[in-house]
Amino acid sequence: NLEIVTVTSCDALEVVFETQGLNADGGRQTRLEMQLRTLTLNHLPMLKHIWSGNPNKIFKFQNLCQLKVTECQNINHVFPFSMAKEIQHLQELYIAKCGVEIIVAQDETADTDPLFIFPELTSLSFRDLTKFQSFYGGLHNLDCPVLRHVDVYHCDKLVLFTPKSLNYQEIVPVDTLPLLSIEKLVRNTRELILNSKDVTMICNGQLNDGPIYTLPALRLRCFHDESDKFPSGFLQKFINLKKLK
């Protein structure tokens, strides 16, 4: 019945949930339904896996609502493939200052171009992930129908928005596929967060930016280089703008 797990500053910890080598006992036909709702992991420098092996053979973590992982530099991915297909109640995902390259581990036995659906996910935050490249290590589709808050900060290898071209797979390597469609994000959000790279793509006509100009709040950041020129006329397109940060 454990619902909340917090693990902080355990310098030697390599695995949080060890499932590798476990067998379903007593010939149990159904998997054990875990009640875990909130998992917080902070400053675990040796952490390699949150879930080892294939946890779905024995356990169901379908009740997970909130996952926060910070300062875990040794971790490569967050979810095993089979688990990512089942966590339908996930509402918030926050990953910061980690060695994460992808969110979902690649599965060679999985269907090509898998679909990941998170029907309740409202908040997605990726901050200071210098190795982060893509949600999944191959062609895939990500569907988050109620996503309202997206905060991507200093993830320089990540392509955030899908370019206009239908053949965007040819524009970027398969392991750095864009995270989201800007049209789908704008459908639910009230504040749009853009960095200098995003603004440049918009002004160069690389993104389908039509829907963004009706939003009431805009946050701009990461214009670090002196050569970054703020495009004149960009702000004037936001006809309903009430809040600028």
Side-chain angles (χ1 to χ4, degrees):
N1 292 314
L2 191 62
E3 293 186 6
I4 300 172
V5 173
T6 302
V7 188
T8 303
S9 300
C10 297
D11 291 350
L13 186 70
E14 295 187 7
V15 179
V16 179
F17 297 100
E18 176 63 81
T19 64
Q20 209 155 4
L22 289 180
N23 294 313
D25 58 0
R28 187 173 60 223
Q29 297 299 311
T30 57
R31 292 178 292 157
L32 185 63
E33 291 194 4
M34 308 297 287
Q35 301 305 312
L36 181 69
R37 294 177 57 83
T38 301
L39 176 60
T40 304
L41 308 175
N42 178 48
H43 190 62
L44 307 174
M46 298 303 293
L47 184 70
K48 295 179 180 177
H49 301 284
I50 302 175
W51 292 270
S52 71
N54 184 1
N56 275 41
K57 287 184 178 179
I58 305 168
F59 304 109
K60 278 186 176 183
F61 285 93
Q62 81 284 2
N63 292 303
L64 185 66
C65 295
Q66 183 185 75
L67 175 61
K68 292 186 176 182
V69 187
T70 55
E71 295 184 43
C72 299
Q73 290 296 341
N74 215 24
I75 190 172
N76 168 267
H77 66 272
V78 178
F79 298 112
F81 179 87
S82 58
M83 184 177 170
K85 301 285 283 185
E86 284 198 353
I87 44 175
Q88 299 293 294
H89 297 298
L90 187 67
Q91 297 172 8
E92 180 182 359
L93 180 62
Y94 182 97
I95 314 292
K97 297 181 180 178
C98 292
V100 166
E101 295 181 21
I102 53 179
I103 301 301
V104 179
Q106 199 161 359
D107 187 342
E108 300 299 333
T109 65
D111 296 336
T112 55
D113 203 3
L115 172 62
F116 299 102
I117 303 176
F118 299 94
E120 297 182 16
L121 185 66
T122 59
S123 179
L124 200 56
S125 297
F126 300 130
R127 300 179 66 85
D128 295 300
L129 306 179
T130 58
K131 298 179 181 179
F132 183 36
Q133 296 182 353
S134 181
F135 191 83
Y136 179 69
L139 290 174
H140 66 281
N141 287 291
L142 177 62
D143 188 10
C144 309
V146 297
L147 188 62
R148 291 198 299 270
H149 176 75
V150 175
D151 182 4
V152 176
Y153 180 72
H154 286 178
C155 300
D156 293 340
K157 291 186 177 181
L158 180 71
V159 179
L160 180 56
F161 295 123
T162 307
K164 262 184 181 179
S165 170
L166 294 176
N167 297 318
Y168 66 85
Q169 289 94 337
E170 300 172 8
I171 297 175
V172 292
V174 70
D175 58 349
T176 55
L177 288 177
L179 184 69
L180 295 166
S181 157
I182 197 168
E183 303 96 314
K184 290 183 179 179
L185 173 62
V186 170
R187 191 169 57 196
N188 298 310
T189 190
R190 289 188 57 80
E191 180 187 50
L192 183 64
I193 303 174
L194 299 173
N195 62 29
S196 61
K197 184 169 65 175
D198 302 324
V199 173
T200 299
M201 289 185 71
I202 289 172
C203 292
N204 289 342
Q206 294 172 272
L207 298 177
N208 184 18
D209 57 329
I212 73 174
Y213 299 119
T214 59
L215 291 175
L218 176 66
R219 196 189 313 185
L220 300 171
R221 61 188 179 198
C222 295
F223 284 78
H224 297 306
D225 298 331
E226 290 184 12
S227 60
D228 286 339
K229 295 289 190 293
F230 191 81
S232 95
F234 178 69
L235 289 180
Q236 280 72 22
K237 293 183 180 180
F238 287 82
I239 54 176
N240 295 327
L241 194 63
K242 296 179 180 178
K243 180 181 177 183
L244 175 63
K245 192 170 182 179

